[in-house]
Amino acid sequence: MKAVILSIGDEVLNGEVADTNAAWLAERLLELGVEISYHTCVGDVEEHIEQSLRYASRRVNLVVATGGLGPTHDDLTRHAAAKAANAPLELHEESLAAIEERFRRYGRPMPAQNRIQAMIPQDAEVLPNSEGTAPGFIVCIGGAHAAFLPGVPREMKAMFEKSLAPFIAALPIERRAVRVEHLHTFGVPESTANERLGNLMLRGANPLIGLRVSGGGVSIKLLATGPDPASVERVMGPTLEAVRQRFGEAIFGTGADTLELATARLLECHGRTLAIAESCTGGLVGHLLTNVPGISRFLLEDLVTYSNAAKAELLGVPAETIQAVGAVSEEVARAMAEGVRKRAKADIGLSTTGIAGPDGGSAEKPVGLVYIGLATDAGTSVERITLVGGRELIKDRAAKFAFNTLRLHLRKMGDWSKCQT
Amino acid sequence: MKAVILSIGDEVLNGEVADTNAAWLAERLLELGVEISYHTCVGDVEEHIEQSLRYASRRVNLVVATGGLGPTHDDLTRHAAAKAANAPLELHEESLAAIEERFRRYGRPMPAQNRIQAMIPQDAEVLPNSEGTAPGFIVCIGGAHAAFLPGVPREMKAMFEKSLAPFIAALPIERRAVRVEHLHTFGVPESTANERLGNLMLRGANPLIGLRVSGGGVSIKLLATGPDPASVERVMGPTLEAVRQRFGEAIFGTGADTLELATARLLECHGRTLAIAESCTGGLVGHLLTNVPGISRFLLEDLVTYSNAAKAELLGVPAETIQAVGAVSEEVARAMAEGVRKRAKADIGLSTTGIAGPDGGSAEKPVGLVYIGLATDAGTSVERITLVGGRELIKDRAAKFAFNTLRLHLRKMGDWSKCQT
């Protein structure tokens, strides 16, 4: 079964709002075994809406449209739907009663103009709106089912779950079972990831494998389909295992995991306390880590020592070291990590120092040069990385590298597997 | 002039990411006097991409496509573009050199597969990529110009501004003059902003006024159109002034300004140094402020004192105060701001302490309770705010309130108007 998602409204067309409805609908339809052919977005122009409906209904068997069901003169979806379905608009008494009842609950009379929202194409299946005034409806256009939902996300989602999802699930069409898995990696460039996946990524393979680069890491998506859940399981299992084999410790999480969440989980699992000293990342490492609920049990402090005085006074970085080799150096990264660990009496000290730019770079210390220090009871190590990009990108990548350095250290401590959730 | 926006990629088609590129492009194209006909999104299927290009090029004179220019098997945009333009792909030596140079800066050799990114349709106009490897290009399809940009928003936006916007502006086509102004406010609820704008917001008004809530502030967008720049000026001027009158000091900036940039500008203008002590915001205040280039001249340090021990040892917050009234209290916010100001010998000390949740709340200290402290040579003030939302939202809003508190303080110092840029 194939579907088209149609978003209707000038505010989406003109970019006043991003089309989050289409993304939400696409994910839900996929979960119902419906394949998405394309999305399109048109403005509040009756001919454009009608044209897109006719075009889509010739290509797929399901059209899900959102928006343009409001009471104002530029809400033209129902008129276009009626034309495309060759069915006149008729007053739907139950819907009118429901709209009037809702206004009663608002404590005011229904404005005359809202009556239009009860006008539904003849023989349409009406979809009640539990969250707002405009009912939705399903009509046939050519050989396709066309469903019309409100544009307000809250109303659209409720109507989809309560009425449209059951309707789609009941359609007597063979649909495929679907399972989606996401594996998130860090430290493997996209091109290398692509090479490692190699034959697994062949077009038409099942599961279908896709790569996405985000936040400096590469996420691997596996989409397995089959006639039934059992057969999906059979194709997903081995490939998932093969991918895990090929990426090993570079995989930090699945699903909605983030690098900072994975790192926090390992801190908790091993019961280690952390203190951070940041320079070039300016607080970003602490910010990301403190997005994790309950991290206060493991994160003691994060000292953003932007000035050299702060590095010396708070972390005990010798002023003569900064004098001799500069604040962006292996020596200072080391002293920062050891200094903050000692000051906070933490198990682990993590530090960043570098040049985020756009100014402050030089021939031997270019913008993007970053040192990451990790101090533990086993000693101190410093990693030197060179990043490319603007100031915010360099800060972000430096913070991610810092988390990954800490994550890999914690992962090597004892049985990390029990830390996986 | 009319345009179609085409988004290419399974991740958008399947709803893993919302199509924010399309919204951004629509806004920028409108600002360039280009009318948007429709958006569409197709997956990584060569025939679908080619089909949408041909369909669009028969209907409008500009197609702006994003995505599918990566180095992997499923990046098929350039192949589809070449077919639709009836132009073979050819190696573009300059682009290949640029890609190799970028990998040199990454410090690794260019993987063989990245060579494909330098393959450009014959006679295409190449658009350099200042932020990544894949160059974009412009080809003719039928009578239309079709521009192809990367899907990574950062790369897409930079390429649009540097290469495509000038190209479009230079096209010899009559277009309506357009001027867009954004005024960003903080501290005024959306409903209040609506009331203040009142009659200025009538449908069909010119300039057309729209409100958007983002980051806890309300942004006011004015879109003025007319036959020529002079007439646009005539309609924009008075309304812009009226809006400025109605919002006064709540307006912190225009265009791409952020609250942290506006605050940094005032610090620089008044030549004041700042030290920060964060608890519940966990480093976010420092992170946002250090996104501003050159801030190191004014920001001395940011101490994220998550543990009570750190608050006492680093900031001199009396342990008995924490004992008596708790870490989330007016007294501790005051002591943190004064403590960090003294420690760093800064002109200004700024502090945050609160309960970001989801746990740790109580009847008299609920999740979302935040104190913001500001210590200056004129004394110390503490603001108490209560926020609603999840942990990340509360952190974000608390940080924004901290910036706004500092901004309003600096704004009152002497002639702030000369600080506006």
Side-chain angles (χ1 to χ4, degrees):
Chain A
M1 180 166 192
K2 289 192 167 218
V4 165
I5 296 171
L6 173 61
S7 305
I8 300 163
D10 288 345
E11 73 284 7
V12 180
L13 183 70
N14 296 336
E16 298 288 327
V17 295
D19 193 353
T20 54
N21 282 352
W24 187 89
L25 283 168
E27 288 211 301
R28 286 294 289 119
L29 287 169
L30 276 174
E31 288 163 14
L32 293 168
V34 178
E35 189 183 337
I36 312 299
S37 179
Y38 64 90
H39 317 172
T40 195
C41 166
V42 295
D44 298 307
V45 180
E46 187 172 335
E47 309 83 280
H48 292 184
I49 302 168
E50 184 187 350
Q51 195 180 28
S52 347
L53 288 170
R54 292 188 188 278
Y55 182 84
S57 61
R58 285 195 298 272
R59 280 157 184 77
V60 297
N61 30 31
L62 176 67
V63 180
V64 180
T66 60
L69 295 179
T72 72
H73 55 76
D74 57 358
D75 289 303
L76 300 167
T77 295
R78 63 177 62 81
H79 303 85
K83 280 195 179 165
N86 304 311
L89 287 173
E90 293 179 341
L91 181 68
H92 187 255
E93 295 293 351
E94 283 170 49
S95 297
L96 181 60
I99 296 169
E100 287 169 337
E101 168 55 25
R102 178 164 291 271
F103 274 97
R104 248 192 305 281
R105 275 186 283 142
Y106 293 155
R108 49 180 216 268
M110 182 188 84
Q113 66 173 6
N114 284 79
R115 184 182 170 87
I116 186 70
Q117 296 188 298
M119 298 298 289
I120 306 290
Q122 195 175 47
D123 304 328
E125 170 155 356
V126 175
L127 310 174
N129 187 336
S130 62
E131 309 292 312
T133 55
F137 54 87
I138 302 171
V139 294
C140 282
I141 299 176
H145 296 287
F148 296 84
L149 308 176
V152 178
R154 193 184 71 261
E155 300 180 21
M156 182 277 290
K157 292 175 185 177
M159 191 178 290
F160 182 94
E161 299 300 358
K162 290 183 178 126
S163 306
L164 188 55
F167 174 87
I168 292 169
L171 286 174
I173 312 151
E174 59 83 30
R175 67 175 55 72
R176 310 182 53 71
V178 178
R179 187 177 145 201
V180 176
E181 290 287 343
H182 291 94
L183 293 177
H184 307 299
T185 74
F186 192 89
V188 181
E190 182 181 16
S191 46
T192 310
N194 206 54
E195 285 160 18
R196 281 195 202 170
L197 289 168
N199 59 335
L200 295 178
M201 278 190 83
L202 297 179
R203 174 161 300 288
N206 188 16
L208 186 61
I209 295 186
L211 291 186
R212 194 189 319 159
V213 178
S214 69
V218 171
S219 292
I220 303 160
K221 179 195 179 189
L222 296 84
L223 174 72
T225 55
D228 54 74
S231 60
V232 168
E233 222 34 66
R234 277 195 300 278
V235 297
M236 177 64 95
T239 309
L240 199 54
E241 187 47 39
V243 174
R244 286 192 176 282
Q245 290 291 340
R246 295 184 194 191
F247 287 84
E249 69 174 13
I251 297 172
F252 66 78
T254 62
D257 289 351
T258 61
L259 199 47
E260 52 271 21
L261 178 61
T263 309
R265 237 188 246 136
L266 286 162
L267 278 173
E268 171 156 33
C269 169
H270 292 304
R272 289 298 193 281
T273 57
L274 174 69
I276 307 168
E278 301 186 57
S279 187
C280 64
T281 45
L284 178 56
V285 176
H287 163 52
L288 291 173
L289 193 57
T290 57
N291 283 346
V292 180
I295 193 66
S296 53
R297 282 171 295 143
F298 308 98
L299 175 62
L300 302 180
E301 63 195 54
D302 173 17
L303 308 188
V304 184
T305 52
Y306 230 52
S307 71
N308 289 341
K311 292 183 180 73
E313 296 162 13
L314 290 164
L315 305 174
V317 179
E320 37 302 349
T321 304
I322 299 178
Q323 274 297 329
V325 293
V328 179
S329 59
E330 178 178 343
E331 293 82 347
V332 169
R334 174 182 304 276
M336 287 173 71
E338 292 173 347
V340 78
R341 175 177 183 252
K342 180 150 169 279
R343 210 226 65 73
K345 303 176 195 65
D347 298 317
I348 302 170
L350 182 66
S351 71
T352 67
T353 180
I355 301 161
D359 307 323
S362 68
E364 82 282 6
K365 290 186 181 181
V367 169
L369 173 65
V370 177
Y371 292 91
I372 291 166
L374 182 73
T376 70
D377 48 18
T380 305
S381 64
V382 177
E383 210 175 341
R384 178 190 196 275
I385 57 177
T386 52
L387 300 165
V388 178
R391 181 178 178 88
E392 294 186 31
L393 190 74
I394 289 172
K395 284 178 62 185
D396 181 74
R397 297 302 184 266
K400 302 289 171 61
F401 269 93
F403 280 119
N404 202 49
T405 300
L406 175 55
R407 177 184 73 90
L408 291 175
H409 166 76
L410 292 166
R411 199 171 174 286
K412 291 185 180 64
M413 296 174 52
D415 176 13
W416 65 272
S417 60
K418 71 171 159 55
C419 304
Q420 306 296 302
T421 56
Chain B
M1 178 166 195
K2 288 190 166 220
V4 164
I5 297 171
L6 173 61
S7 305
I8 299 163
D10 288 344
E11 74 281 10
V12 181
L13 182 71
N14 296 336
E16 286 152 45
V17 293
D19 192 352
T20 54
N21 282 350
W24 187 89
L25 283 168
E27 285 210 303
R28 286 293 290 118
L29 288 168
L30 277 173
E31 290 166 11
L32 293 168
V34 178
E35 189 184 336
I36 313 299
S37 178
Y38 65 90
H39 316 172
T40 195
C41 166
V42 296
D44 298 307
V45 180
E46 187 172 335
E47 310 82 278
H48 293 183
I49 301 168
E50 183 187 351
Q51 195 179 27
S52 343
L53 288 170
R54 292 189 189 278
Y55 183 85
S57 62
R58 285 196 297 273
R59 281 155 184 78
V60 296
N61 31 30
L62 177 67
V63 180
V64 181
T66 61
L69 295 178
T72 72
H73 307 97
D74 54 359
D75 290 302
L76 300 166
T77 296
R78 63 177 61 80
H79 303 86
K83 280 194 180 164
N86 305 310
L89 286 173
E90 292 179 341
L91 182 68
H92 187 254
E93 295 293 352
E94 283 170 49
S95 297
L96 182 60
I99 296 168
E100 288 169 335
E101 167 56 23
R102 179 162 290 268
F103 275 97
R104 246 192 305 282
R105 276 186 285 149
Y106 291 154
R108 34 179 229 270
M110 182 190 83
Q113 64 171 10
N114 284 77
R115 184 182 173 86
I116 188 70
Q117 296 189 297
M119 297 298 288
I120 306 290
Q122 194 175 48
D123 303 327
E125 171 155 356
V126 175
L127 309 174
N129 188 335
S130 60
E131 308 292 312
T133 55
F137 53 86
I138 302 172
V139 294
C140 282
I141 299 176
H145 297 287
F148 297 84
L149 308 176
V152 179
R154 191 185 73 260
E155 300 180 21
M156 182 277 290
K157 292 174 185 177
M159 191 178 289
F160 183 93
E161 298 300 359
K162 288 182 181 134
S163 307
L164 187 55
F167 174 87
I168 292 169
L171 288 174
I173 310 150
E174 62 79 32
R175 57 174 65 79
R176 284 178 71 68
V178 178
R179 190 177 143 202
V180 177
E181 291 288 343
H182 292 92
L183 295 177
H184 307 299
T185 73
F186 193 89
V188 181
E190 185 180 16
S191 50
T192 311
N194 255 305
E195 288 161 17
R196 284 196 200 169
L197 290 168
N199 60 336
L200 295 176
M201 281 190 82
L202 297 177
R203 176 179 294 284
N206 188 17
L208 188 61
I209 296 186
L211 289 187
R212 191 178 312 168
V213 178
S214 69
V218 171
S219 293
I220 303 160
K221 178 187 179 186
L222 295 84
L223 175 73
T225 56
D228 55 73
S231 58
V232 168
E233 221 35 67
R234 278 193 300 277
V235 297
M236 178 65 94
T239 309
L240 197 55
E241 186 47 38
V243 174
R244 287 193 174 282
Q245 291 291 339
R246 297 183 194 190
F247 287 84
E249 71 173 13
I251 297 172
F252 65 80
T254 62
D257 290 350
T258 61
L259 201 46
E260 52 272 20
L261 178 61
T263 309
R265 234 188 250 135
L266 286 162
L267 279 172
E268 170 156 35
C269 170
H270 292 304
R272 290 297 194 280
T273 57
L274 174 69
I276 307 168
E278 301 187 58
S279 187
C280 63
T281 46
L284 179 55
V285 176
H287 163 51
L288 291 173
L289 194 57
T290 56
N291 283 346
V292 180
I295 194 66
S296 54
R297 283 171 294 142
F298 307 98
L299 175 62
L300 303 179
E301 64 196 52
D302 173 18
L303 308 188
V304 184
T305 50
Y306 229 52
S307 70
N308 289 341
K311 291 182 181 74
E313 296 162 12
L314 291 164
L315 305 174
V317 179
E320 42 293 358
T321 303
I322 299 177
Q323 274 298 329
V325 292
V328 178
S329 59
E330 178 178 344
E331 293 82 346
V332 168
R334 175 182 304 276
M336 287 174 70
E338 291 173 348
V340 79
R341 175 176 184 252
K342 180 150 170 279
R343 209 226 67 74
K345 303 176 196 64
D347 297 318
I348 302 170
L350 181 66
S351 71
T352 66
T353 181
I355 301 162
D359 307 321
S362 67
E364 81 283 6
K365 290 186 182 181
V367 168
L369 173 66
V370 177
Y371 292 90
I372 292 166
L374 182 73
T376 71
D377 48 18
T380 304
S381 64
V382 176
E383 211 176 340
R384 178 188 196 277
I385 57 177
T386 51
L387 301 165
V388 178
R391 182 178 177 89
E392 293 186 33
L393 190 74
I394 288 172
K395 282 179 64 186
D396 181 73
R397 297 303 183 265
K400 302 291 171 60
F401 269 92
F403 280 119
N404 202 50
T405 300
L406 176 55
R407 176 184 74 89
L408 292 175
H409 165 76
L410 291 166
R411 199 171 174 286
K412 291 184 180 66
M413 296 175 52
D415 177 13
W416 64 272
S417 61
K418 71 171 160 54
C419 302
Q420 306 297 303
T421 56

